Amino acid sequence: MKVIAVIPARLASTRLPRKMLREIHGLPLVVRVYRAVRASSALADVIIATDSDEIFNVCREHSCNAHMTSPRHRSGTERVHEISQSVAGDVYLNVQGDEPMVRAEQIDTIVELMNHSDVQVGTLKTPAISEDLSNPNAVKVVTDFAGRALYFSRSTIPFDRDATQPRYFKHLGIYAYRKPALDRFVSLPESSLERAERLEQLRFMENGTAIYVAETPHDSIGVDTEEDLARVVKLLADRK
């Protein structure tokens, strides 16, 4: 199975301006993500997909494989789809460019999930810590007994009405797609739940495509704010 990892990277972020080029221990964020993903031996290639000349040039300076893509894309998945049109593969990973704590073990887990031929779309979850439960930037997920996602939300799900203390899971920003699923995604309009939550994976679910979710013990932190950036800087220093 030929697996291509794609890291969508745009410069025009809103909550944390120019975050892809913010430095973490001497490396731009997007370069740190690229190097972390490259650590997995399960991948045939890793590609940064950007519409920014500045990001492209920084990637070249750090010997990262970068491709220029259309500025018209509305989502990272659309950017991954463009790469899939010119780079042949069996499975394409979408690794968020603001996830500098991604680990090779997480990549290996999602690739293993895609070894099941009936899985068209896959992603990851990890046990949620208490700080994540009320944080809208930490997306929560609930699944059925077969590992299929029932829903993703920025709200706390499930709601613990009778204090039964259910297990809560945080969704991690890594996706895997087979080519037909990618082709279908870009042909569909933005869905109502996707628009409400600002979570593009809900487009798949509203249109009947099952998303399978594998569990990993390794958490990750998406960098959306200055506070997130400071937290990642500290955690990576502690990891070293």
Side-chain angles (χ1 to χ4, degrees):
M1 188 171 67
K2 184 178 181 181
V3 184
I4 309 295
V6 183
I7 303 170
R10 65 189 186 95
L11 197 58
S13 52
T14 53
R15 284 178 289 179
L16 184 60
R18 298 172 58 82
K19 69 178 178 180
M20 290 298 169
L21 298 181
R22 296 291 294 271
E23 287 201 355
I24 298 177
H25 297 296
L27 284 178
L29 172 59
V30 67
V31 173
R32 183 166 289 279
V33 174
Y34 178 88
R35 292 188 179 182
V37 175
R38 287 289 317 175
S40 171
S41 61
L43 303 173
D45 203 356
V46 180
I47 300 168
I48 295 172
T50 186
D51 59 2
S52 163
D53 290 331
E54 191 173 353
I55 289 178
F56 182 82
N57 290 333
V58 166
C59 291
R60 292 285 296 273
E61 290 170 10
H62 288 85
S63 301
C64 300
N65 182 14
H67 290 204
M68 289 295 292
T69 53
S70 170
R72 296 188 299 274
H73 294 315
R74 298 165 298 172
S75 69
T77 309
E78 291 183 1
R79 212 169 292 283
V80 175
H81 180 261
E82 180 179 337
I83 296 296
S84 76
Q85 299 297 90
S86 58
V87 180
D90 299 304
V91 169
Y92 297 88
L93 300 192
N94 178 352
V95 183
Q96 305 300 306
D98 58 5
E99 294 274 353
M101 296 189 68
V102 65
R103 304 169 67 115
E105 295 94 331
Q106 295 168 326
I107 300 295
D108 296 343
T109 297
I110 197 169
V111 170
E112 183 178 350
L113 174 65
M114 298 306 291
N115 279 319
H116 300 278
S117 59
D118 58 328
V119 177
Q120 292 296 305
V121 182
T123 191
L124 295 177
K125 68 179 181 181
T126 195
I129 60 176
S130 58
E131 291 87 344
D132 291 332
L133 299 186
S134 60
N135 179 5
N137 292 323
V139 176
K140 275 66 69 175
V141 59
V142 291
T143 60
D144 67 12
F145 293 129
R148 293 176 296 237
L150 295 172
Y151 194 60
F152 298 85
S153 182
R154 298 184 183 277
S155 296
T156 305
I157 54 172
F159 177 72
D160 190 14
R161 192 192 72 167
D162 297 323
T164 59
Q165 298 184 329
R167 294 186 71 195
Y168 290 96
F169 287 97
K170 173 186 171 183
H171 173 236
L172 301 182
I174 305 174
Y175 302 90
Y177 319 99
R178 298 192 190 279
K179 183 66 162 58
L182 267 177
D183 291 340
R184 183 164 187 253
F185 179 89
V186 299
S187 72
L188 296 168
E190 183 181 58
S191 70
S192 59
L193 292 176
E194 174 188 9
R195 189 178 308 113
E197 296 259 17
R198 300 317 308 168
L199 298 174
E200 62 188 64
Q201 65 268 38
L202 294 175
R203 188 187 312 183
F204 278 118
M205 297 181 66
E206 281 196 87
N207 287 280
T209 297
I211 299 177
Y212 284 79
V213 187
E215 183 176 345
T216 173
H218 303 293
D219 196 1
S220 184
I221 299 173
V223 176
D224 293 308
T225 65
E226 291 285 356
E227 291 76 16
D228 294 334
L229 185 63
R231 185 180 172 198
V232 165
V233 168
K234 182 180 185 305
L235 287 171
L236 286 176
D238 292 344
R239 182 186 291 181
K240 287 181 181 180

